[in-house]
Amino acid sequence: KSLGFVVLVFGLVRVGWRVVDSRPAVPASGGLLRPAARATHLTLYAVPLALVATGWLAVSASPIPLPTAVFGLFVVPNLTSPDIAIYLNARSAHRLLAWTLGGLVLVHALAALWHHAVSGDDTLKRMLGLGPRGAGTSGKRTADGYQDHETRS
């Protein structure tokens, strides 16, 4: 339970950071690659937050009404009173989201490896913090808000 609230805090901080910080440059790509990357990134923000919400709801609705103490420091309020139907649905959603997150992380990692091995671009290096953020870009923004990845002349 406590780790879920750590994920919630870090997730909200990351979303806030993402809102105020510019998006990194992405390699120029045709077809569905850019929209697929955007959808995956948005889902990588949404699923962990939904995972925390469904976990909190399941704990709140559990037929065994135990307080949720975060590392024994403070107790968070329940979102609902004990209710077996809500508990079972929230627990099922929590499990589904956990598997979904695992699949998204795998797809994200495979896409980064594909960019590195097949496309030969610097996506993997930038993800690992080894490449300059936004270096070699024109600074122009695309319609979806990403920096364009054309080389400056």
Side-chain angles (χ1 to χ4, degrees):
K1 295 180 197 178
S2 294
L3 291 178
F5 286 99
V6 170
V7 169
L8 177 63
V9 169
F10 280 114
L12 292 174
V13 167
R14 180 65 183 115
V15 167
W17 181 3
R18 182 70 169 83
V19 167
V20 299
D21 194 21
S22 66
R23 295 178 178 149
V26 294
S29 55
L32 296 175
L33 288 180
R34 188 169 283 198
R38 180 161 171 74
T40 301
H41 290 146
L42 289 173
T43 307
L44 281 168
Y45 286 103
V47 170
L49 294 175
L51 195 58
V52 171
T54 57
W56 189 0
L57 184 60
V59 166
S60 297
S62 173
I64 304 169
L66 297 174
T68 302
V70 178
F71 296 111
L73 300 174
F74 58 92
V75 175
V76 294
N78 286 334
L79 299 173
T80 186
S81 57
D83 183 316
I84 192 69
I86 293 173
Y87 167 73
L88 292 173
N89 287 326
R91 188 180 70 175
S92 294
H94 189 71
R95 286 183 180 162
L96 178 63
L97 288 166
W99 282 104
T100 300
L101 181 59
L104 283 169
V105 168
L106 178 63
V107 166
H108 194 62
L110 290 173
L113 291 172
W114 178 84
H115 276 283
H116 184 71
V118 177
S119 291
D121 60 36
D122 65 348
T123 299
L124 181 60
K125 289 179 183 176
R126 289 183 301 108
M127 285 176 64
L128 296 173
L130 301 174
R133 183 181 168 125
T137 65
S138 66
K140 298 177 196 169
R141 297 273 177 196
T142 61
D144 59 5
Y146 287 94
Q147 286 183 353
D148 195 9
H149 197 68
E150 56 185 71
T151 306
R152 292 182 189 162
S153 355

